[in-house]
Amino acid sequence: MELLNAFSLLTFVIVFQEEISCFSLSIPASPGYYQDGHFVIGGIFSLRVTAKDSRIKFGFNDTMNIPETDILNLTKNYQHILATVFAIEEINKNPNILFNMSLGFYLFNVDFFETKAMESSMALLSGESPPLPNYSCRPGKTDKLVAVIGGISTGISTQISRVLSLYNIPQISYAPFDASLGTRVWLQSPYQFPVHTEALYQGIIQLLLYFTWFWVGLLVPDDMRGEHFIKEITEEMINHGICVAFAEKGPVFPFFGEIGWYQLIGHLILTRVVIAFGNTHDFWPLVSLLIYGSIFGNIWITTSDWYTTISPFKQNPIYKYFRGTFLFSVHKNEILGFKDFQRSVHPRKYPHDIFIQDVWSSLFECPHFYEHGVRKLSQCEQNSSLSTRSLNVWDMDTSPLSYKIYASVHAIAQALHEELSLSANGDSFDKGGLQAPLPWKLHQFLQKGQLWRSINEEDNVNQEVSATKLDIFNYQSLQSGTKAQVKVGEFVFESHSVQHFYINEKLINVDEKQNQTPFAHCNRSCLPGFRKIQGYGNTFCCYDCDPCPAGEITNETGMDQCFKCPEDQYPNEQKNQCLPKIMAFLSHEDTLGAALISVAISLSALSAMILGLFIHYRDTPIVRANNRNLSFVLLVSLMLCFFCSLIFIGQPRTITCVLRQMIFGVVFSVAVSVILAKTFIVVVAFKAIKPGSTLKMWMVTRLSNAIVCCGSIIQVCICAIWLGTYPPFPDIDMQSEYGQIILLCNEGSTLAFYCVLGYLGFLASLSLLIAFLARRLPDTFNETKTITFSMIVFCSVWISFIPTYLSSTGKTMVAVEIFSILASSAGLLGCMFLPKCYVILLRSGGHSRKKLLKLLL
């Protein structure tokens, strides 16, 4: 019996001594907000920014004494606590969720310090603060703990998980999704709200492409998230032709690392559009720099984890200068009843809420005093409501983080419901002897469950979804001078091939001063008429502008290559537009065409006059010499030569293309054959009149007629073969003349064309040779001299014609041939008939002249 009493006394002393040890450490350094229930959910939040954490790293003695000026209350983060309280009250009102049992909570504020997060995690386990590791000082609190929600950043979530995973207690992190978070802890990693990063990348890229922003900067935290973000989004941007102007890593608060301040300022000056990936508190050391950089009108593209209106100042500089910011947020529905709940919040309603005092003091500027180191409100507005506060200090809309916290509470409650349901089905469920289920039993339900399931969402815990919808918001100024997030578009991502991007540009306010979309390129886009030339040592977004080469254009800005106009068009002088080409041919309205027509008609009239003169004086010796009939034929053929030149003028058609070369070849062959016959008569006639000659003049005449017929028939045969094989036809030339479509007659067979010319050259050369040899024959009416001279003119003209014809194009080519026809014909007419006309008119006596004048009049 004495032994039993001694053992009982020893047990009491040990237990009492342990209780004394626990209570002796219960200095309210980081007091929490506690509400009892059958089950308790822990919450670790960040409600303020402090200058530093002066506590010892491995001991949790509270020696921190921070002046009030070094504390920045983040009033909007108080909504995180309200979301927790609202969700728990909502669950407790529903008896079907937890079988008429209740949820409680134990909430802590750890600012943004990881050491505080570790201390608060241990306080949740021991029931007191500062905690005593591995001791439960208040089993009434600690034994009811089923799960913990926290924290706001990856670093804080990691430290919480290092403690909770030792006891296998579930943790749901509302920090931005970090794929590397599971590798930072030893045992059970925290549950995260997954974000389809591929959807975020594609949504940002679609926004950049929509505004044609191809020169973009990246600002990320200096951690694994930042490294991963830079690597993946850079690859996607390059695939879409977008360049990264700079990629800077900012120090993650509260570790103030080194950063090239002047270099970053230079980047902000030169780069208008910046993608900021990370939490707002990640960039607290850069706040002043971002305010300074916003003077240059930078446009920021962020995620829902970035709050430009987080601080509670009425004249918040970040809030003022962050105009035109675009924000991507996972689509969410508004929490039903949460706004009404916020309107009802008041310090008198929640007297045990130790955090509401500071928030209320900041929001309503209430006088306060300190009692035992705790701020107390002395006077405040009666019936004051959060709904009366301006947007820059409080927003009644649910923030993305508050929504995550609300969903986390419901996920834990759903897991508890399923665990309790199993216990009830196994007949081991006893409400009278209620005990909280072991926390580790909830893992199987959280792992297979959905964080959004209880509130009709589709995003799964720790697994990706098939389709992700992102809302696009734009920060804008309201008439009151404050800013609000205005939804301006949305992006739905199902796969790389199935994407839906919509944006209402009318709702966007990018630049308050200029009200226009900023320019975001490495350099100005090349204007129409220029092409991009890649510069040496630069990215593909930086280039030089080079004028398009001749014959090519660019009709849009920023084109990589010039292109040729269609064949029926040509570039203008600026090389930025294609103009329709002008139809070009030698027409009757052209000055050149009209002049040639006048010359042709005049020479034809002159030929007709000479023919009339020769007919009138047909019995004179000078006309009868060398066969007057041949002279008449020659004059008629020359007249036809002048007229055939008219067929070359006008728009080429099939009939004109065929006739003009045929008529030209045949008529000229007749004319040259006549000249050859005349030359033959001169030579043979002298032989015929010699004594003893067997030649008769009638034989000479018939032979000369045969020469004309044979010479003409051969040319007719050549032309017939030409027509039967490859005749001339109308054609167009779009390349020879700039800005013109030349309508021309394609000669068809070039060989046949030159055969016609060659045959004429053969006849002319033969006539020239014979006439030259017979030029000294004695006779008063010897024509060999005039024939020689006329053939020299004829041959000179056509020899000059060939190179000139080949080197000319368009109407010039036609004009050259017409000129050659007129010049050669005029040479024959002038050399052979004008001297005879002179003799007839001026040297045949006055009687003849008077008779001619009388005839003409």
Side-chain angles (χ1 to χ4, degrees), residues 542-560:
C542 298
Y543 46 81
D544 298 324
C545 296
D546 187 57
C548 289
E552 298 184 1
I553 71 163
T554 55
N555 56 3
E556 296 179 2
T557 58
M559 295 188 67
D560 296 325

Side-chain angles (χ1 to χ4, degrees), residues 367-530:
H368 58 272
F369 62 94
Y370 286 92
E371 181 178 330
H372 303 295
V374 178
R375 183 187 303 202
K376 299 291 184 179
L377 300 179
S378 59
Q379 295 179 359
C380 251
E381 297 181 17
Q382 296 296 325
N383 300 321
S384 56
S385 174
L386 294 175
S387 61
T388 62
R389 299 298 89 190
S390 59
L391 285 174
N392 63 308
V393 294
W394 188 265
D395 191 351
M396 296 293 290
D397 291 337
T398 306
S399 70
L401 295 185
S402 298
Y403 197 80
K404 286 184 179 181
I405 294 170
Y406 175 82
S408 300
V409 175
H410 275 270
I412 295 171
Q414 187 66 31
L416 283 171
H417 174 80
E418 295 183 15
E419 169 64 21
L420 294 175
S421 298
L422 290 178
S423 300
N425 293 335
D427 297 329
S428 60
F429 183 70
D430 184 9
K431 294 182 181 179
L434 178 65
Q435 289 185 352
L438 296 175
W440 60 265
K441 291 185 177 182
L442 300 184
H443 283 295
Q444 58 178 328
F445 304 107
L446 290 175
Q447 288 173 352
K448 70 178 181 180
Q450 297 178 341
L451 286 179
W452 308 103
R453 182 177 59 185
S454 58
I455 46 179
N456 299 322
E457 291 287 350
E458 299 179 354
D459 296 323
N460 296 341
V461 176
N462 285 343
Q463 69 181 59
E464 295 183 349
V465 295
S466 58
T468 302
K469 182 177 180 181
L470 301 176
D471 293 330
I472 305 173
F473 295 91
N474 178 229
Y475 278 106
Q476 298 181 5
S477 293
L478 304 178
Q479 294 180 355
S480 61
T482 59
K483 289 192 177 183
Q485 294 181 8
V486 177
K487 182 178 177 180
V488 296
E490 61 185 24
F491 176 72
V492 179
F493 179 84
E494 298 182 20
S495 64
H496 280 281
S497 58
V498 182
Q499 301 179 19
H500 306 282
F501 179 83
Y502 167 77
I503 197 164
N504 189 347
E505 196 169 353
K506 295 181 180 179
L507 299 177
I508 297 175
N509 186 354
V510 176
D511 195 323
E512 296 176 351
K513 295 182 179 180
Q514 300 179 0
N515 196 25
Q516 62 183 6
T517 304
F519 174 81
H521 297 265
C522 178
N523 47 11
R524 289 286 177 181
S525 298
C526 294
L527 297 176
F530 294 83

Side-chain angles (χ1 to χ4, degrees), residues 110 228 351 384 447 556 578 664 770 802 806:
V110 298
H228 185 72
S384 56
Q447 288 173 352
E556 296 179 2
C578 290
F664 157 72
I770 296 173
I802 294 176
L806 295 176

Side-chain angles (χ1 to χ4, degrees), residues 48-53 64 66 70-72 110-113 116 253-254 256:
R48 63 181 182 178
V49 176
T50 57
K52 60 180 180 178
D53 187 1
M64 184 169 57
I66 302 175
D70 292 336
I71 299 177
L72 177 63
V110 298
D111 298 334
F112 288 92
F113 292 107
K116 286 187 177 181
F253 181 82
F256 296 89

Side-chain angles (χ1 to χ4, degrees), residues 307-327:
Y307 298 97
T308 60
T309 60
I310 194 171
S311 58
F313 301 127
K314 290 184 177 180
Q315 301 297 330
N316 181 6
I318 304 179
Y319 193 71
K320 178 179 179 182
Y321 288 108
F322 262 79
R323 56 180 177 268
T325 298
F326 287 97
L327 183 146

